[in-house]
Amino acid sequence: SGNQVTVAAGTLTLAKYSAYANQTLTVPQTAYKLAEFRLTGGSTEGVNLDTITLALPAAYTSTNITPADITELYVVYGSKTTVTKATGGTSQSWSINEVLASSGTLDVKVYANLSTSVQTASTTVASLTISGTSQNSGSAVTSATAVAGQTITVGAGTLTIAVDASSPVQANV
């Protein structure tokens, strides 16, 4: 009998970062964090990451923020930043060159501007996919299906006015 040979390939697992909750905000917003994810490499071998693909809801309804209202879209992965896309679209891709070591993790954050024309109560959820090539086996690796990020909801600002409890009574003044 000969030596045992094990065939393995790199893997990627992408998940929504649970410490960044769903958000409610007022518009306009500049460089607002739309979503945050964690990418984890498998234990067999590292992966040379080459593409980040972001999807936004395509159909405009009174409950969806239109991709046209999302501008200056970019992704921060680790300590690097992608090129900024001037206008949003239902699908955006960025070519990257990043090495994810075996069992390594990478923080991935999505930022954009939101215009003043977004309706109150509208929402958006960015979905992300990351792909690359296994370092040793050379096989294509992807983070499986697109992972949905946090729900971003546009709310209306409110103002509540109250008299301070320590204020003197008008008669004392």
Side-chain angles (χ1 to χ4, degrees), residues 9-11 42-48 99-103 133-136 141:
T11 59
S43 61
T44 56
E45 65 179 303
V47 177
N48 296 324
V99 174
L100 182 62
S102 62
S103 300
T133 305
S134 292
Q135 289 179 334
N136 297 328
V141 181

Side-chain angles (χ1 to χ4, degrees), residues 11 18 20 27-28 34 36 44-45 54 58 64 73-74 76 80 98 107 119 132 134 140 143 147 168-169:
T11 59
S18 60
Y20 186 62
V27 290
L34 294 180
E36 186 169 352
T44 56
E45 65 179 303
L54 177 77
N64 281 347
L73 185 63
Y74 63 95
V76 175
K80 298 179 183 175
E98 182 72 14
D107 299 340
Q119 297 178 19
S134 292
S143 61
V147 174
V169 179

Side-chain angles (χ1 to χ4, degrees), residues 19-147:
Y20 186 62
N22 295 337
Q23 304 290 312
T24 300
L25 56 95
T26 58
V27 290
Q29 290 289 327
T30 303
Y32 190 81
K33 187 184 341 177
L34 294 180
E36 186 169 352
F37 303 89
R38 292 294 180 269
L39 181 67
T40 306
S43 61
T44 56
E45 65 179 303
V47 177
N48 296 324
L49 305 174
D50 56 29
T51 307
I52 296 174
T53 304
L54 177 77
L56 296 170
Y60 172 72
T61 65
S62 60
T63 59
N64 281 347
I65 297 173
T66 65
D69 287 327
I70 299 173
T71 60
E72 305 300 317
L73 185 63
Y74 63 95
V75 178
V76 175
Y77 56 101
S79 62
K80 298 179 183 175
T81 303
T82 63
V83 172
T84 301
K85 305 278 184 163
T87 57
T90 57
S91 181
Q92 302 281 344
S93 290
W94 291 270
S95 293
I96 63 170
N97 185 11
E98 182 72 14
V99 174
L100 182 62
S102 62
S103 300
T105 60
L106 183 67
D107 299 340
V108 181
K109 301 170 189 167
V110 179
Y111 292 91
N113 295 348
L114 296 170
S115 76
T116 56
S117 62
V118 177
Q119 297 178 19
T120 301
S122 297
T123 63
T124 192
V125 178
S127 298
L128 201 69
T129 305
I130 300 178
S131 59
T133 305
S134 292
Q135 289 179 334
N136 297 328
S137 63
S139 61
V141 181
T142 187
S143 61
T145 59
V147 174

